[in-house]
């Protein structure tokens, strides 16, 4: 079995092509293509982000995915993600991503530890680190609307408290 390697490292070396399309604030459809004639085991680690090709937010992976790529093959994966760059629009189905990079070590640590948390808890922690958002900033930035048209905050006080607890346990400074 080939050694498992990071998708970001393989992308930087030109061994794989990484693309994705937007779905929502919590999910993207990823595609990893093997560009060489060798079998690869690719790890998409928490903290790997797909680079937006427009004015939408980049999307960072919330949990680890491992795929085996046969020579010159492509694998598709639905990726649990969070938005980074809070001041840009949330990506939709027409938004495209090309390439992968890594976020800061602190954000990657937060994503690894929070992988089982509610997606809105993770989103609160991500924006606290990438955009220096306070708890109120996060709550006032993201809304959901029900079928009757009623808007409410998507991130609750409980999400903020949980994200703040995880960041505190990791010793990561933040404004939550």
């Amino acid at each position: 079995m080939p050694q498992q390697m990071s998708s970001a490292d393989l992308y930087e070396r030109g061994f794989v092509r990484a693309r994705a399309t937007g779905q929502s604030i919590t999910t993207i459809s990823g595609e990893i293509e093997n560009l060489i004639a060798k079998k690869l085991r690719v790890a998409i680690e928490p903290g790997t982000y797909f680079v937006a090709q427009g004015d939408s937010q980049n999307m960072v992976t919330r949990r680890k995915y491992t795929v085996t790529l046969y020579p010159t093959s492509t694998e598709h994966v639905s990726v649990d993600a969070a938005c980074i760059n809070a001041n840009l629009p949330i990506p939709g189905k027409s938004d495209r991503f090309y390439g992968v990079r890594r976020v800061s070590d602190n954000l990657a640590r937060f994503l690894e530890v929070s992988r089982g948390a509610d997606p809105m808890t993770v989103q609160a922690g991500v924006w606290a680190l990438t955009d220096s958002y306070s708890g109120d900033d996060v709550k006032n930035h993201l809304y959901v609307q029900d079928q009757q048209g009623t808007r409410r905050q998507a991130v609750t006080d409980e999400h903020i408290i949980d994200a703040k607890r995880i960041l505190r346990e990791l010793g990561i400074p933040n404004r939550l």
Side-chain angles (χ1 to χ4, degrees), residues 20 35 42 44 47 50 56 63 67 81 84 87 92-93 97-98 103 107 132 134-135 144 147 149 153 169 175:
L35 300 175
V42 181
I44 307 168
F50 287 79
S56 67
R63 69 177 189 86
V67 295
I84 55 178
N87 292 318
K93 292 184 188 326
F97 304 85
Y98 190 83
V103 295
L107 181 51
S132 234
S134 68
V144 293
Q147 292 178 343
Q153 292 173 324
E169 287 172 0
R175 295 182 52 229

Side-chain angles (χ1 to χ4, degrees), residues 130-143:
T130 61
D131 296 271
S132 234
Y133 268 25
S134 68
D136 285 339
D137 292 336
V138 173
K139 288 189 313 184
N140 293 323
H141 189 68
L142 188 59
Y143 289 86

Side-chain angles (χ1 to χ4, degrees), residues 60-75:
V60 66
T61 306
R62 290 190 284 128
R63 69 177 189 86
K64 182 177 181 176
Y65 298 87
T66 305
V67 295
T68 300
L69 294 174
Y70 293 92
T72 65
S73 70
T74 301
E75 286 293 322

Side-chain angles (χ1 to χ4, degrees), residues 75-119:
E75 286 293 322
H76 299 270
V77 60
S78 179
V79 177
D80 293 338
C83 291
I84 55 178
N85 323 102
N87 292 318
L88 295 173
I90 293 168
K93 292 184 188 326
S94 65
D95 291 304
R96 302 284 178 257
F97 304 85
Y98 190 83
V100 288
R101 295 190 184 133
R102 293 283 296 160
V103 295
S104 70
D105 288 344
N106 278 344
L107 181 51
R109 286 178 39 228
F110 170 76
L111 290 163
E112 179 67 34
V113 170
S114 67
R115 69 183 174 274
D118 184 281

Side-chain angles (χ1 to χ4, degrees), residues 15-79:
F15 294 169
V16 299
R17 182 176 297 139
R19 293 182 283 218
T21 56
Q23 297 297 309
S24 70
I25 192 168
T26 60
T27 308
I28 57 173
S29 293
E31 179 180 280
I32 306 293
E33 180 183 0
N34 185 347
L35 300 175
I36 64 173
K38 287 187 123 178
K39 184 177 176 181
L40 298 171
R41 281 191 39 86
V42 181
I44 307 168
E45 302 280 349
T48 301
Y49 72 92
F50 287 79
V51 180
Q53 295 303 298
D55 66 350
S56 67
Q57 296 187 53
N58 295 315
M59 297 294 284
V60 66
T61 306
R62 290 190 284 128
R63 69 177 189 86
K64 182 177 181 176
Y65 298 87
T66 305
V67 295
T68 300
L69 294 174
Y70 293 92
T72 65
S73 70
T74 301
E75 286 293 322
H76 299 270
V77 60
S78 179
V79 177

Side-chain angles (χ1 to χ4, degrees), residues 159-169 174 176:
H159 295 131
I160 300 295
I161 291 166
D162 201 23
K164 189 174 186 172
R165 176 191 54 78
I166 294 167
L167 289 166
R168 185 177 350 102
E169 287 172 0
N174 65 86
L176 287 180

